[in-house]
Amino acid sequence: MIEKKEKKLTEKQLYNAKVKWFKEHEYEEVKPLEFYRDLFPIGTFEKEKDYDLEHNTGKGKPNGIMVRLNVKEGRKQRLIFDDLETIEYEIGNENVILSPIGYFGRSRKNENAKLLYAMVFDLDGQEMEQLRDTLHQMKKFIPKATYVVLSGHGLHLYYVFKEPIRLNQHVVRELNKLKTGLTKRIWNSYTSLVDPQFQPIAQGFRMVGSASKLGKRYPVRAYRVGERTTIKELISYFPKDLKEWNEYRINLDYAITTPKEEAKELWPDWYHRRIELGQKPNRWYVKRALYDWWLKRLRGGEIKVGHRYFAIMTLGIYAMKCDISFEELEKDAYSLLVPYEKLTDDDGNHFTEDDIKTALKVYHEGACNYPRDMIGKFVGLDMPINKRNYRTQEEHLKLARGIKGLKKQMGEVSEGRPKGSKNKDYPKAEIIKKWRADNPTGTKAECNRATKIDPKTIRKWWNSVEIAYESRPEQELKVAEDISKYSEKEIR
């Protein structure tokens, strides 16, 4: 008897099944305001009455920043004060984004991020089996989240800290490494059906209580699972076989900032320029060839479902790095809407204009300091190092020859070893040299059989000396065949 194949649930049916599963397993659902009061305890943020909106100053406490995106209304950004009234106002609304971070100022720029209250992991590709496995693995294999949030399509795992982490550029880099390593552990073949997606610690997530992508009838829900955690506890779950493991030197006592009075005495020029005159920090820009190269890759069919949002976000990062106007960036980003929407799979995870609007906010937040390898992880692509710094080959060679010529004039380089000299540091090179002199028509394979030297070493030193000999016809024919073969590859 042929067994009937189990009917696949629709997205909305799957959402309802997950809500039912949490209830049956007695996980406590936490109301939105209760969730955010636990994340941001009383006294965390400035009070609205103490905040000077004109000068963006208060009594020394940060504020949360909420972003709501809508195709018709555009991007709206509001401060979250200590009473959390802004959050209460947005319950039930669509496309409401919030980061677990306290900011100084009204902008979500990286340099304004001062306190991190939780580390959050996005987990997509979640059927019922993956949901069960995720909660099961929290018993031992992956850290137990403080809250598991049902975001609609997937889960958001909130690891709320016992004490907020003070942020600066160094700590942000180290925490991003930690999050990358933990993502590789949390996002495994049992917890997700799709490839891992890597996100920075400042990533915003749909607000608990707001509408999910499925609509207002399917809100983002939070369930209490574990206790608050610490950085040390999270590091204990870091995969020890990853190369990043030995790179952790997180200094949690690192000061948020130097007091202005002290900074005025230490760096008077900086204080006058940045504080008194309000000038922006200087930075350098990359040639626009980098932006064009990246846009070409995003249009080349390499991006998969699950990485489309980050593809647009990284395009915004490169636009900042290359000093591309927002108008040009916006036009290029929307040109990817149709081809990226065509990638939508059976799960119905559509790619919309709202996704593009959300991703493009990175341009206004000053996120131009993301390194190459992190950008590659965001979009799931290899990021080869461009050793020419995006110069053309002709420009690169001209520069290299100029530098070499200058070094020769200064006596710092010469053209190889003096004729007839021996390479005492590499005796095998001398053996290969002598064998070639005695066997001018010999091959590398014959040299290997005669000298027993490793083929890699023979290849390394084979052309280190010039050997005069008459070429054999069969050798010329082989060279011609090789050239033809590689030419065909280039054409393809």
Side-chain angles (χ1 to χ4, degrees):
M1 183 177 176
I2 301 175
E3 292 185 8
K4 270 191 175 182
K5 197 171 182 180
E6 188 177 344
K7 186 179 179 182
K8 187 174 180 179
L9 298 176
T10 66
E11 284 186 307
K12 294 179 179 179
Q13 289 172 338
L14 185 59
Y15 173 94
N16 289 327
K18 289 177 180 178
V19 172
K20 182 180 178 182
W21 186 89
F22 277 111
K23 186 175 181 180
E24 289 175 347
H25 288 77
E26 298 183 346
Y27 285 103
E28 177 193 358
E29 182 175 358
V30 181
K31 294 181 179 179
L33 287 179
E34 184 183 346
F35 170 82
Y36 283 108
R37 181 47 76 200
D38 189 32
L39 184 61
F40 308 124
I42 293 175
T44 295
F45 295 147
E46 288 282 4
K47 294 180 179 179
E48 188 171 8
K49 66 183 180 63
D50 295 332
Y51 194 84
D52 185 343
L53 291 171
E54 184 179 351
H55 298 95
N56 295 322
T57 58
K59 292 186 175 181
K61 293 182 179 180
N63 288 93
I65 298 180
M66 179 279 302
V67 177
R68 178 153 55 91
L69 295 141
N70 187 282
V71 175
K72 295 180 180 179
E73 299 177 6
R75 180 177 186 268
K76 290 189 175 181
Q77 188 166 291
R78 298 178 64 193
L79 290 177
I80 299 172
F81 295 101
D82 204 48
D83 57 10
L84 304 186
E85 188 176 305
T86 304
I87 291 175
E88 185 176 11
Y89 178 80
E90 293 295 338
I91 291 175
N93 287 335
E94 297 179 330
N95 301 316
V96 183
I97 308 298
L98 186 58
S99 300
I101 288 179
Y103 295 89
F104 284 159
R106 297 178 61 84
S107 170
R108 293 178 69 238
K109 292 181 179 179
N110 286 342
E111 56 263 34
N112 289 352
K114 298 305 175 185
L115 289 171
L116 179 71
Y117 297 93
M119 188 172 284
V120 189
F121 296 82
D122 191 2
L123 197 56
D124 283 342
Q126 285 261 318
E127 302 286 342
M128 288 304 301
E129 184 179 354
Q130 285 68 41
L131 171 65
R132 290 190 290 266
D133 273 337
T134 300
L135 274 297
H136 176 72
Q137 287 190 28
M138 285 185 187
K139 295 178 180 178
K140 189 174 182 180
F141 184 73
I142 64 177
K144 180 178 283 190
T146 314
Y147 293 97
V148 173
V149 173
L150 178 58
S151 63
H153 293 112
L155 301 179
H156 296 158
L157 309 184
Y158 277 76
Y159 294 88
V160 182
F161 296 122
K162 293 178 181 178
E163 294 292 337
I165 307 301
R166 294 183 173 188
L167 298 178
N168 56 54
Q169 191 172 3
H170 163 75
V171 173
V172 168
R173 279 198 303 267
E174 296 303 306
L175 290 179
N176 278 330
K177 290 179 191 176
L178 175 60
K179 189 175 181 183
T180 296
L182 289 177
T183 299
K184 292 176 182 178
R185 190 176 187 91
I186 293 170
W187 199 310
N188 57 62
S189 58
Y190 297 98
T191 61
S192 176
L193 296 171
V194 298
D195 294 335
Q197 298 168 18
F198 299 94
Q199 301 166 340
I201 61 168
Q203 177 68 32
F205 298 90
R206 288 183 184 272
M207 190 187 86
V208 173
S210 69
S212 71
K213 260 192 174 182
L214 302 177
K216 294 185 177 182
R217 294 175 58 193
Y218 304 88
V220 178
R221 299 171 181 262
Y223 297 90
R224 194 187 305 275
V225 175
E227 302 298 325
R228 288 171 174 265
T229 188
T230 65
I231 286 294
K232 286 186 178 180
E233 289 175 13
L234 292 181
I235 288 178
S236 69
Y237 284 89
F238 193 94
K240 306 299 189 296
D241 57 334
L242 294 181
K243 67 178 183 179
E244 296 95 339
W245 170 247
N246 293 322
E247 297 179 13
Y248 285 97
R249 298 292 184 272
I250 301 176
N251 180 6
L252 301 182
D253 297 325
Y254 205 97
I256 295 179
T257 184
T258 303
K260 286 185 179 180
E261 296 75 14
E262 187 178 339
K264 187 175 183 179
E265 295 180 7
L266 292 173
W267 311 293
D269 293 340
W270 173 89
Y271 186 88
H272 176 69
R273 186 177 71 256
R274 295 293 309 281
I275 305 300
E276 295 178 346
L277 300 180
Q279 293 180 1
K280 293 182 178 180
N282 296 326
R283 73 179 191 85
W284 54 273
Y285 294 93
V286 184
K287 284 189 175 182
R288 74 161 291 136
L290 172 61
Y291 175 84
D292 294 335
W293 167 79
W294 188 242
L295 179 60
K296 185 177 180 181
R297 288 196 73 178
L298 299 189
R299 288 172 171 169
E302 297 181 79
I303 300 299
K304 298 178 181 178
V305 173
H307 296 285
R308 296 172 294 185
Y309 167 84
F310 290 102
I312 304 298
M313 188 185 84
T314 55
L315 185 65
I317 292 172
Y318 277 133
M320 291 198 65
K321 287 177 180 286
C322 302
D323 200 22
I324 304 297
S325 70
F326 182 75
E327 290 71 26
E328 182 177 354
L329 165 65
E330 192 174 37
K331 181 180 177 182
D332 291 336
Y334 278 100
S335 72
L336 296 168
L337 177 62
V338 173
Y340 280 11
E341 169 59 14
K342 287 181 180 178
L343 298 176
T344 299
D345 50 26
D346 295 336
D347 291 336
N349 193 0
H350 293 282
F351 188 73
T352 67
E353 290 186 27
D354 282 335
D355 293 318
I356 292 179
K357 277 187 172 291
T358 306
L360 289 182
K361 73 180 185 293
V362 73
Y363 185 90
H364 302 290
E365 293 169 3
C368 60
N369 59 345
Y370 283 105
R372 173 186 53 81
D373 56 343
M374 184 175 289
I375 289 175
K377 287 172 183 174
F378 288 164
V379 293
L381 299 181
D382 292 330
M383 296 292 288
I385 298 174
N386 188 316
K387 295 183 179 180
R388 296 201 308 262
N389 296 321
Y390 301 95
R391 302 184 189 97
T392 64
Q393 186 180 42
E394 183 181 356
E395 290 172 337
H396 176 72
L397 290 176
K398 188 182 295 184
L399 179 62
R401 289 166 184 150
I403 292 173
K404 183 178 180 182
L406 182 59
K407 286 185 175 181
K408 284 174 67 178
Q409 291 177 20
M410 298 169 65
E412 292 185 9
V413 296
S414 59
E415 295 292 342
R417 283 198 320 274
K419 190 174 182 180
S421 66
K422 289 191 174 183
N423 191 339
K424 295 179 181 179
D425 294 331
Y426 300 96
K428 289 182 180 179
E430 292 301 321
I431 297 173
I432 296 168
K433 175 183 176 181
K434 185 176 184 306
W435 188 89
R436 289 205 67 193
D438 296 338
N439 303 274
T441 60
T443 64
K444 296 183 183 75
E446 291 170 345
C447 179
N448 168 253
R449 287 193 291 268
T451 63
K452 307 300 182 185
I453 295 175
D454 187 273
K456 291 181 181 177
T457 305
I458 292 174
R459 288 196 295 271
K460 178 179 179 180
W461 297 105
W462 189 255
N463 295 318
S464 62
V465 293
E466 292 185 4
I467 302 295
Y469 64 95
E470 293 181 3
S471 62
R472 295 180 296 189
E474 58 269 25
Q475 287 178 327
E476 293 179 353
L477 179 61
K478 187 176 185 307
V479 170
E481 290 174 349
D482 288 344
I483 292 173
S484 174
K485 179 174 64 176
Y486 287 117
S487 297
E488 288 174 5
K489 284 184 179 180
E490 291 294 327
I491 293 171
R492 288 199 294 269

